[in-house]
Amino acid sequence: MKDSTEISLSLARPDGTLSSKLKVALTLGCVGLLLLVLALFNIGLSSQGGLLIVAISLISIGVFLYANGLYINKQDGIKNNGVWFKSISSRGTIGWVTGVVLTTFYVVLYFYPKLLGLGIDGQPNSGLVALFDPLSSLLNGNDASQWFVYGTLYTLAILLFGYKFILKYRGNRYQQFRTFSVMLFQLGFAFLIPEFMARLNSNSFTIPSYDLKNMWPLSYDYFDQYSVDEFIQAGNIGLALLIFGVLSIFVISPILTYKYGKRWYCSWVCGCGGLAETAGDSFRQLSSKKLSSWKVERWLVHIVLVFSILMTTAVVGTYLGDDATAYWLTRKVFLIFVAAVLTLVFTLTMVFKRQELGKDARYGAIGFFVVILSLFALYTFGGSSDLLFISSGTLRSAYGFYIGSIFSGVIGTGFYPILGNRVWCRYGCPMAAVLGFQQRLFSKFRITTNGGQCISCGNCSTYCEMGIDVRAYAQKGENIVRSSCVGCGVCAAVCPRGVLKLENGSLEGRINSRDILLGNNMDVTKFAENKSE
Amino acid sequence: MGKFSPNLSTLYQMSEEHVIIIGNGISGITLARHVRKLSSKRITVVSNESNHFFSRTALMYIYMGHMKFEHTKPYEDWFWDKNKIELVNGKVIAVNTNHKCVILENSDELKYDKLVIATGSKPNKFGWPGENLKGVQGLYHLQDLESLEKTAQNNEVCKRAVIIGGGLIGIELAEMLTSRNIPVTFLVRETSFWNHVLPLQESEMLNNHIANNNIDLRLGANLKEIKGGENGSVKSIVIKETDEEIPCNLVGLTAGVSPNVAFIESTDIETNKGVLVSRFLETNIPDVFAIGDCAELRNSKEGRSNIEAMWHTGRIMGETLAQTICGQKVEYEPGHWFNSAKFLKIEYQTYGWVSAVPIGTHQHFQWKNPNEDKCITLEYNKDTLEFIGINTFGIRMRHDIFDTWLTEKRDVNYVIHNLPKANFDPEFYQRYENDILAKYNKQLSTLNT
């Protein structure tokens, strides 16, 4: 008889505890994916429409059955059993392979779309892109592009994994509502509406087709010349859309962020957040919680923000004229305006929030002066297209390449299984930096901790996709007011002691730092507080 | 400056008191952190359980695969160096209070100015036949998790597990084993789960919940003996009441814990079940203190036990003793009672006192949702209507609100009418306050007529 305490090699279980139901589901999904891969090599293209329907159906049924197999018969509650035992979700072999495949896909998508079958110079599409031609012409009347293929698969991923997420968090309405919301915004605003807008275009009517919920600076090309031209050419509707875009970032977003925190966008509306929360949910525990990561995050995300402001300003400067008699908004007027707005924000922050910023005020000031100096340089030395010696065109394409493609796409999504599902949102998104700044200083949102109930178990920190060490606050009884928090609410869900709650409350006592937790007597609290003053 | 600073700081440290803390659990570490906040004393923490502080309550989540061991460490490893808290991995085998030193297993001697015993608990054993067989264990130390990982790696190695003792650790162990599809038989001495603490409504709800999770719950069942097989491993257990023999590969002993103070007993530090301490957490020997699970108060606050093996009492003792050690003598005085736990999927919180059966002038108001595992019990004084405490299952409530209400001695009427203020459930959750109020009013009107 075997010694039961010794771990025997004969007990190896190559596929863990996958039930046969899950295996069938996995097979169906993989066959669907395989059909797409075959299409890539122009195999089986006889009936494109039919093949696409079959492939998408197989993938959908696969994910649907898999999600049901995992969760449908389970009770409400947290379903994280075995997360760190599974290869896919603990940086095992399957995780790494998935990461490499995803990364490769993004490199091809951004830089070698021809490999996907995109027809260049008027040639017809082939391969994978051609497979999507029928769907594309059904929706917008044109042949597919690589972006149409990507958009369709992206939306499909959010819908299918959104279903899985909703099942997983059955019993938690906050999770269900916000997932339903990102699914809706992706399907409607990001996918269908722009296609229909494209369809509306005719000789007598033009309308730019774009995602209404997209905002500068996340949509860094919003104020590019071609984009603004499109708006202006579309007459009154276009102008209204342009004004809406400007209001979105400068008025609507600050109001909503003040009331609800940045979660209204990041985990309820945004497409990047949508994919992270659904398809990326299995990887949230992989984000680094180290203090050093937090430092990197703060430098990186704010550098991207500064880069994006400068780049956009320089780009807008290129198409504004110098002649004030032709149009009042000249390049120089615009530059002065940008500098004035930034100075106003900086001054107000320093006057009202100096205390809260602490040591960060210095970094804020450095950042501010870098931007102002650059604007000054642009004003003084810049020709119509130069920022010092770098042309704004170079700046724009560098941003598009390094930030828009490499950071947000290749690394941001490709590295899900390695660095967690919010790499882009955490380290790179300039929109997250803007909203985070507002959330940290001008918002009613906070995560409240519940007195002395925390047992420091670490579930909250582990499952924070933004890498916030939630426990560090909870075990001190201190509310969590962090610029990076996207308000996904998973920390509150996984807490076994009911310690965390996402709330919008008054600004008074929002940050409640204390040395001694609730439950100890008054004298100790008094001594501790006196000491720290 | 830089060249001389190491020497200077050594000199500086030598002139400072040396505080040695035995045990790196929540109480010892909280003490160390607060002493560091308040002073520049030399601090050494000795433990042979782990190199760094981890959350004991999270051991279950490592086994269940929710977290890895490093996730259970509340501070990164550089924290200790940065805050000049010296960590010694070693086992204390003797304390010499005359020479003010502790002796480690490797015969190192550490001299102290202040000694704090914070060695926690050990699982109870009641002299059952076979209780020292291989495969019989408690769940308290990191080492318990390591042995569980061997004995109950999966349901092929462990065909069945038997858990003895229906408390909070027992139910956690049951949940852990169930997560790996290991069949569990759960022997509970009481006639209903945890009914010496919980009112019947709640205890019965938990009985059902446990059974619904495919755990073989045996109520009113005591252990007679544990039988061994080959290699000295456990083979089966026998139930006292029925003589039924249940084959198993793991026996979890979870019938409570007791202070881990064996190494103190040869010293002149006075012990009973635990290390005896005053309200100031002092032992009978000057400059020697005890905190956390291992401390036994000579006379505790009215209504509180002398030994309270809980996370937050350990933490509060650490916070308190740090003040005393740093020159501001403060009495250990925990505030209003509170606690929380999770029974499989059901969350439980309690604030103030709720007894299993109300006695004297005390009375219960109870509400239960007919469809879900959600219920509350309020205890109050039926003469004065003073609110005494609340148990809440499946609904999260605010600690600070109840703490305030208890301090203000609010009446039960006020509490019921203001329950919405205390709600701590996530946004969009269904609310039950109206339902609760309706039942309360209905009961009130039947009382009045």
Side-chain angles (χ1 to χ4, degrees):
Chain A
M1 195 185 145
K2 270 200 316 267
D3 183 344
S4 63
T5 59
E6 265 174 36
I7 299 163
S8 159
L9 288 177
S10 68
L11 294 172
R13 289 174 301 172
D15 38 32
T17 51
L18 224 53
S19 73
S20 46
K21 213 192 259 176
L22 294 184
K23 281 179 191 159
V24 170
L26 210 54
T27 310
L28 288 176
C30 287
V31 170
L33 278 178
L34 187 69
L35 289 180
L36 295 183
V37 174
L38 288 180
L40 195 59
F41 299 106
N42 292 308
I43 303 169
L45 269 183
S46 52
S47 161
Q48 290 172 346
L51 190 65
L52 181 64
I53 291 172
V54 172
I56 287 185
S57 305
L58 281 175
I59 293 172
S60 305
I61 293 169
V63 177
F64 182 77
L65 290 179
Y66 193 84
N68 286 355
L70 277 180
Y71 304 129
I72 202 122
N73 291 321
K74 298 248 176 80
Q75 303 167 18
D76 295 356
I78 295 310
K79 300 178 178 68
N80 287 334
N81 285 349
V83 162
W84 286 96
F85 303 146
K86 290 177 196 148
S87 183
I88 181 82
S89 54
S90 62
R91 288 191 205 100
T93 314
I94 300 177
W96 277 96
V97 169
T98 311
V100 170
V101 169
L102 275 175
T103 308
T104 315
F105 170 74
Y106 275 93
V107 170
V108 171
L109 175 75
Y110 280 106
F111 307 116
Y112 308 99
K114 198 163 173 261
L115 293 179
L116 294 178
L118 182 71
I120 309 279
D121 301 328
Q123 285 179 343
N125 290 331
S126 61
L128 186 64
V129 181
L131 186 70
F132 284 76
D133 278 343
L135 181 63
S136 180
S137 69
L138 181 75
L139 290 173
N140 60 33
N142 301 315
D143 275 354
S145 67
Q146 82 273 31
W147 299 119
F148 181 82
V149 174
Y150 178 54
T152 310
L153 293 177
Y154 196 101
T155 307
L156 192 66
I158 290 186
L159 294 179
L160 294 174
F161 288 99
Y163 170 75
K164 175 170 176 264
F165 191 89
I166 285 176
L167 266 192
K168 182 178 175 185
Y169 282 95
R170 212 171 27 178
N172 187 327
R173 286 213 214 154
Y174 180 76
Q175 298 303 333
Q176 297 188 314
F177 285 5
R178 75 177 177 83
T179 306
F180 188 70
S181 170
V182 290
M183 288 162 77
L184 203 71
F185 274 105
Q186 177 62 30
L187 181 65
F189 283 67
F191 186 63
L192 293 179
I193 294 176
E195 301 301 339
F196 294 150
M197 283 166 120
R199 184 143 219 159
L200 285 174
N201 281 310
S202 65
N203 292 334
S204 56
F205 182 80
T206 57
I207 184 170
S209 70
Y210 85 114
D211 180 351
L212 291 164
K213 70 179 166 53
N214 265 3
M215 247 183 260
W216 179 87
L218 177 56
S219 306
Y220 55 90
D221 56 357
Y222 198 91
F223 296 114
D224 277 10
Q225 181 157 21
Y226 80 89
S227 164
V228 173
D229 283 349
E230 263 181 17
F231 283 121
I232 289 168
Q233 280 156 19
N236 286 338
I237 297 179
L239 200 62
L241 288 175
L242 184 62
I243 290 170
F244 174 72
V246 175
L247 287 180
S248 287
I249 183 66
F250 293 110
V251 180
I252 299 172
S253 149
I255 292 173
L256 289 173
T257 308
Y258 172 74
K259 290 182 79 138
Y260 308 111
K262 80 195 225 188
R263 56 183 170 153
W264 79 267
Y265 193 75
C266 297
S267 62
W268 283 74
V269 172
C270 179
C272 302
L275 191 73
E277 295 292 344
T278 51
D281 174 59
S282 306
F283 310 112
R284 57 173 59 248
Q285 67 283 354
L286 301 174
S287 60
S288 168
K289 277 66 183 189
K290 287 182 184 163
L291 189 66
S292 50
S293 304
W294 186 16
K295 285 184 181 157
V296 172
E297 162 197 320
R298 300 203 304 171
W299 276 105
L300 217 49
V301 78
H302 291 111
I303 287 172
V304 173
L305 177 63
V306 167
F307 189 7
S308 108
I309 291 173
L310 284 180
M311 181 275 289
T312 308
T313 312
V315 165
V316 172
T318 57
Y319 58 80
L320 291 175
D322 283 318
D323 182 6
T325 55
Y327 189 59
W328 64 270
L329 186 59
T330 61
R331 197 173 59 84
K332 294 202 168 184
V333 170
F334 176 71
L335 289 176
I336 291 168
F337 174 73
V338 172
V341 169
L342 289 173
T343 309
L344 185 70
V345 171
F346 179 75
T347 315
L348 287 177
T349 309
M350 283 300 166
V351 170
F352 292 108
K353 300 287 173 180
R354 181 70 185 80
Q355 291 300 322
E356 285 185 33
L357 281 173
K359 276 188 286 182
D360 296 341
R362 194 153 43 104
Y363 298 121
I366 294 171
F368 172 72
F369 285 112
V370 166
V371 176
I372 292 297
L373 276 180
S374 311
L375 292 176
F376 181 73
L378 207 58
Y379 184 92
T380 318
F381 310 110
S384 60
S385 64
D386 290 353
L387 174 68
L388 288 183
F389 308 108
I390 311 162
S391 83
S392 58
T394 314
L395 213 56
R396 168 63 181 77
S397 56
Y399 189 92
F401 180 79
Y402 290 109
I403 310 294
S405 307
I406 304 259
F407 207 157
S408 79
V410 178
I411 297 173
T413 315
F415 285 22
Y416 268 15
I418 311 301
L419 298 175
N421 56 334
R422 285 274 193 178
V423 179
W424 162 245
C425 314
R426 182 181 177 190
Y427 296 103
C429 178
M431 177 86 181
V434 173
L435 297 181
F437 171 77
Q438 294 169 26
Q439 166 162 291
R440 177 70 182 74
L441 297 174
F442 307 99
S443 172
K444 296 158 88 74
F445 173 72
R446 90 289 311 271
I447 303 177
T448 309
T449 55
N450 200 6
Q453 291 280 25
C454 177
I455 52 166
S456 300
C457 71
N459 274 296
C460 52
S461 294
T462 306
Y463 287 90
C464 176
E465 54 190 353
M466 294 304 282
I468 298 171
D469 190 0
V470 184
R471 165 175 56 192
Y473 301 85
Q475 67 190 0
K476 285 191 285 185
E478 186 179 327
N479 291 345
I480 294 112
V481 180
R482 278 278 291 268
S483 46
S484 64
C485 175
V486 293
C488 72
V490 167
C491 57
V494 297
C495 175
R497 293 292 188 272
V499 175
L500 302 160
K501 178 173 164 64
L502 279 61
E503 283 191 288
N504 314 305
S506 85
L507 293 176
E508 195 96 352
R510 182 168 172 250
I511 301 172
N512 60 337
S513 185
R514 57 197 297 176
D515 272 345
I516 304 286
L517 267 74
L518 190 63
N520 207 336
N521 83 342
M522 289 300 130
D523 284 350
V524 188
T525 316
K526 201 173 65 201
F527 290 136
E529 240 100 273
N530 286 343
K531 193 82 186 177
S532 60
E533 268 164 20
Chain B
M1 167 78 189
K3 194 177 166 189
F4 298 104
S5 58
N7 291 333
L8 281 175
S9 82
T10 317
L11 271 173
Y12 178 57
Q13 289 240 325
M14 279 176 73
S15 66
E16 288 281 352
E17 273 193 336
H18 188 193
V19 181
I20 294 187
I21 303 163
I22 310 176
N24 67 350
I26 179 63
S27 36
I29 289 301
T30 306
L31 173 74
R33 280 179 41 242
H34 280 268
V35 169
R36 177 50 70 243
K37 275 187 191 182
L38 297 166
S39 76
S40 53
K41 291 181 200 300
R42 184 175 169 209
I43 304 169
T44 303
V45 182
V46 186
S47 167
N48 72 329
E49 185 183 13
S50 60
N51 289 329
H52 300 101
F53 170 50
F54 70 96
S55 174
R56 190 174 303 296
T57 50
L59 285 178
M60 63 181 293
Y61 298 108
I62 302 174
Y63 181 85
M64 287 161 66
H66 295 205
M67 289 191 272
K68 298 208 281 185
F69 174 66
E70 53 259 40
H71 297 120
T72 68
K73 292 195 274 189
Y75 304 95
E76 287 185 61
D77 292 351
W78 50 258
F79 176 88
W80 311 104
D81 226 22
K82 189 187 166 214
N83 289 290
K84 294 199 174 60
I85 296 171
E86 295 168 44
L87 305 177
V88 173
N89 189 333
K91 185 176 173 144
V92 175
I93 48 165
V95 176
N96 185 333
T97 53
N98 293 324
H99 292 99
K100 292 185 112 178
C101 68
V102 296
I103 296 130
L104 305 185
E105 203 170 33
N106 65 2
S107 44
D108 276 359
E109 265 188 43
L110 302 173
K111 286 191 81 67
Y112 67 80
D113 296 297
K114 297 261 174 6
L115 178 67
V116 182
I117 299 157
T119 47
S121 299
K122 58 179 188 346
N124 280 337
K125 288 182 174 181
F126 292 109
W128 289 299
E131 66 182 15
N132 292 320
L133 286 166
K134 239 202 271 180
V136 182
Q137 65 163 99
L139 180 70
Y140 186 88
H141 292 105
L142 183 58
Q143 286 69 26
D144 294 331
L145 187 72
E146 282 162 6
S147 62
L148 188 69
E149 197 55 67
K150 288 191 191 124
T151 318
Q153 193 208 4
N154 55 46
N155 57 13
E156 288 162 40
V157 180
C158 181
K159 304 264 190 255
R160 175 167 291 275
V162 177
I163 297 169
I164 318 288
L168 298 180
I169 301 182
I171 189 81
E172 286 179 358
L173 185 56
E175 182 179 1
M176 290 161 68
L177 295 163
T178 311
S179 79
R180 296 204 187 176
N181 298 315
I182 294 170
V184 173
T185 298
F186 195 4
L187 299 197
V188 174
R189 190 181 52 181
E190 292 78 21
T191 52
S192 180
F193 182 80
W194 224 35
N195 69 354
H196 57 295
V197 177
L198 297 177
L200 199 60
Q201 160 184 280
E202 295 150 18
S203 168
E204 281 181 343
M205 182 178 84
L206 293 181
N207 292 342
N208 290 331
H209 186 60
I210 293 167
N212 287 342
N213 279 272
N214 301 318
I215 294 164
D216 172 26
L217 177 64
R218 307 291 185 94
L219 295 168
N222 284 277
L223 176 67
K224 183 180 182 187
E225 67 165 316
I226 305 168
K227 289 187 172 176
E230 298 164 47
N231 313 321
S233 296
V234 61
K235 193 189 78 185
S236 64
I237 62 105
V238 180
I239 297 177
K240 196 189 237 168
E241 284 73 12
T242 57
D243 269 331
E244 183 187 353
E245 184 170 347
I246 301 173
C248 59
N249 303 99
L250 172 81
V251 175
L253 299 182
T254 59
V257 294
S258 47
N260 178 24
V261 291
F263 75 103
I264 299 290
E265 274 152 18
S266 58
T267 69
D268 43 8
I269 302 169
E270 210 180 323
T271 60
N272 178 35
K273 279 180 182 161
V275 182
L276 286 166
V277 291
S278 69
R279 290 271 190 103
F280 292 95
L281 306 166
E282 309 152 315
T283 65
N284 60 317
I285 307 290
D287 294 331
V288 179
F289 306 84
I291 52 174
D293 288 16
C294 69
E296 178 175 350
L297 288 159
R298 289 175 194 273
N299 58 335
S300 61
K301 204 172 143 185
E302 196 196 335
R304 307 280 296 236
S305 310
N306 292 336
I307 303 175
E308 288 177 339
M310 309 223 312
W311 183 266
H312 74 259
T313 48
R315 195 197 67 229
I316 291 173
M317 286 185 183
E319 291 167 354
T320 308
L321 184 61
Q323 301 288 336
T324 302
I325 284 185
C326 294
Q328 186 86 56
K329 201 168 171 181
V330 182
E331 204 172 312
Y332 167 62
E333 197 171 324
H336 301 292
W337 174 259
F338 71 96
N339 198 8
S340 60
K342 196 171 181 186
F343 302 97
L344 306 171
K345 306 282 187 288
I346 304 178
E347 287 178 22
Y348 155 70
Q349 293 179 332
T350 186
Y351 301 105
W353 290 114
V354 177
S355 36
V357 180
I359 44 168
T361 54
H362 285 198
Q363 202 158 11
H364 280 172
F365 164 75
Q366 296 194 304
W367 167 89
K368 186 175 184 316
N369 184 285
N371 311 315
E372 293 167 285
D373 290 327
K374 293 176 192 293
C375 66
I376 63 165
T377 296
L378 263 88
E379 184 155 329
Y380 62 98
N381 185 317
K382 68 179 170 195
D383 298 337
T384 63
L385 292 184
E386 186 188 336
F387 167 67
I388 310 292
I390 184 169
N391 278 353
T392 164
F393 285 77
I395 303 174
R396 294 175 174 181
M397 298 205 188
R398 285 179 201 269
H399 186 182
D400 61 339
I401 295 276
F402 278 109
D403 197 73
T404 311
W405 288 349
L406 286 163
T407 303
E408 295 171 350
K409 296 190 183 298
R410 294 288 180 177
D411 64 43
V412 62
N413 249 318
Y414 179 90
V415 171
I416 294 273
H417 281 93
N418 286 282
L419 265 188
K421 278 190 201 158
N423 185 288
F424 200 69
D425 269 340
E427 293 152 299
F428 308 118
Y429 266 43
Q430 190 171 347
R431 304 289 288 261
Y432 302 92
E433 288 96 359
N434 288 338
D435 206 21
I436 294 169
L437 183 62
K439 187 176 178 197
Y440 179 75
N441 286 335
K442 203 171 141 196
Q443 232 169 51
L444 213 60
S445 64
T446 27
L447 277 177
N448 292 341
T449 49

